[in-house]
Amino acid sequence: MIETKEELDEIKKTCRSMVTRSSSLSAGAAVVPVPGVDVGSDVAILLRLIPKINEKFGLTPEQIDSLDTESKIMVMTAISNVGSKMAGKYITKKLIVMLLQKMSGKIAAKNVTKYVPFIGSAVAGGISFTAMKYMGNSHIDDCYDIALAAIESKQLPSAVTPASKPSALE
């Protein structure tokens, strides 16, 4: 379990590096002028990347299930408040495809530009890199916000402690 904001910031930095590497792989696949290769590779990349990010932040379903009840409720509430579609969930091909479909405009542009001689492949690679980086970094930001909420909730004193209860003599 992540205990400090400094630890959380380090995890965020590590995950951003993972996203950049994955985005480069996605761009490389987009340059290949074969229909469907890039989308298939994007799905495969995200099926590996998203669970790794969840794990780094302690937000896999197994990690959440291992928490005590109070912490589990707090994490699930934070996930709901942030509106994350991927934190705390089993990442399936169906979920990834659904998220990629939301970015279908960029994917369509990437597929069309791929066939423009010379510059088309470079443009397709750039679009692919940008789209993958956006998806990965957005997920990191969601996980960061969830984990930060968990850290902050642990640092807050409970509303009524025995020392703060007014006594009958007051």
Side-chain angles (χ1 to χ4, degrees), residues 136 156 167:
L156 294 175
S167 69

Side-chain angles (χ1 to χ4, degrees), residues 49-162:
L49 179 64
I50 299 301
K52 283 182 184 177
I53 292 170
N54 284 345
E55 184 180 349
K56 294 273 186 199
F57 282 98
L59 295 172
T60 66
E62 297 82 7
Q63 289 168 316
I64 293 170
D65 284 344
S66 71
L67 296 172
D68 61 82
T69 304
E70 185 179 328
S71 297
K72 191 183 304 185
I73 290 169
M74 192 283 313
V75 168
M76 295 309 288
T77 301
I79 289 171
S80 177
N81 289 344
V82 167
S84 175
K85 302 275 187 267
M86 297 183 286
K89 296 192 173 68
Y90 290 101
I91 305 304
T92 63
K93 184 177 178 181
K94 183 177 178 180
L95 177 62
I96 295 297
V97 169
M98 181 187 75
L99 293 169
L100 285 172
Q101 285 173 340
K102 288 185 178 183
M103 298 190 74
S104 61
K106 287 183 181 178
I107 291 169
K110 176 174 68 171
N111 287 333
V112 169
T113 60
K114 184 186 289 193
Y115 302 105
V116 175
F118 305 113
I119 195 142
S121 290
V123 171
I127 291 170
S128 189
F129 180 89
T130 303
M132 182 67 66
K133 190 133 175 115
Y134 174 79
M135 284 185 69
N137 285 341
S138 293
H139 182 59
I140 290 168
D141 292 342
D142 287 350
C143 290
Y144 183 91
D145 291 344
I146 293 162
L148 184 60
I151 291 170
E152 289 173 348
S153 74
K154 284 184 177 182
Q155 294 173 353
L156 294 175
S158 59
V160 179
T161 60

